[in-house]
Amino acid sequence: MAYFRITLMRSAIGLPMRTRGVLAALGLRKRMRTVYHPVTPDVAGQIMKVKELVDVEEVEHALSKQEQREQRRPDPGYYVESAMPR
């Protein structure tokens, strides 16, 4: 099943209540928050109402919060192979 990965890129400050209501219905409350919704015409219509504010990608499966955290973790730049003998 395909999903929309929707990330709020721009703030809704100063926008009409109707637009803020669409963002709330999508589950987007803060900037850079990411939510996953199944690909349906209803969700696609909501996305079209706020297309200037969000970044949308179609993905195969939704990631859990833990998987999203692991994906954002930067490469440490080094690896500890084993501890030094003392």
Side-chain angles (χ1 to χ4, degrees):
M1 176 179 219
Y3 288 89
F4 286 127
R5 183 173 107 184
I6 309 165
T7 304
L8 183 61
M9 302 303 284
R10 305 273 318 241
S11 174
I13 295 174
L15 293 177
M17 280 298 292
R18 189 173 184 143
T19 304
R20 286 186 270 166
V22 171
L23 290 174
L26 286 171
L28 297 168
R29 309 242 188 272
K30 296 181 178 181
R31 284 184 62 238
M32 302 310 291
R33 185 67 52 97
T34 301
V35 295
Y36 291 88
H37 288 285
V39 175
T40 61
D42 297 336
V43 175
Q46 289 177 330
I47 291 170
M48 288 303 292
K49 292 286 185 187
V50 293
K51 63 184 177 285
E52 299 86 6
L53 307 175
V54 297
D55 181 38
V56 181
E57 292 180 36
E58 191 171 336
V59 295
E60 281 299 314
H61 63 282
L63 297 177
S64 68
K65 290 186 186 247
Q66 186 65 29
E67 290 170 332
Q68 287 181 21
R69 175 176 268 160
E70 287 297 323
Q71 200 174 38
R72 284 194 305 261
R73 185 173 302 196
D75 184 32
Y78 62 89
Y79 297 96
V80 178
E81 293 180 8
S82 63
M84 287 183 57
R86 293 181 187 212

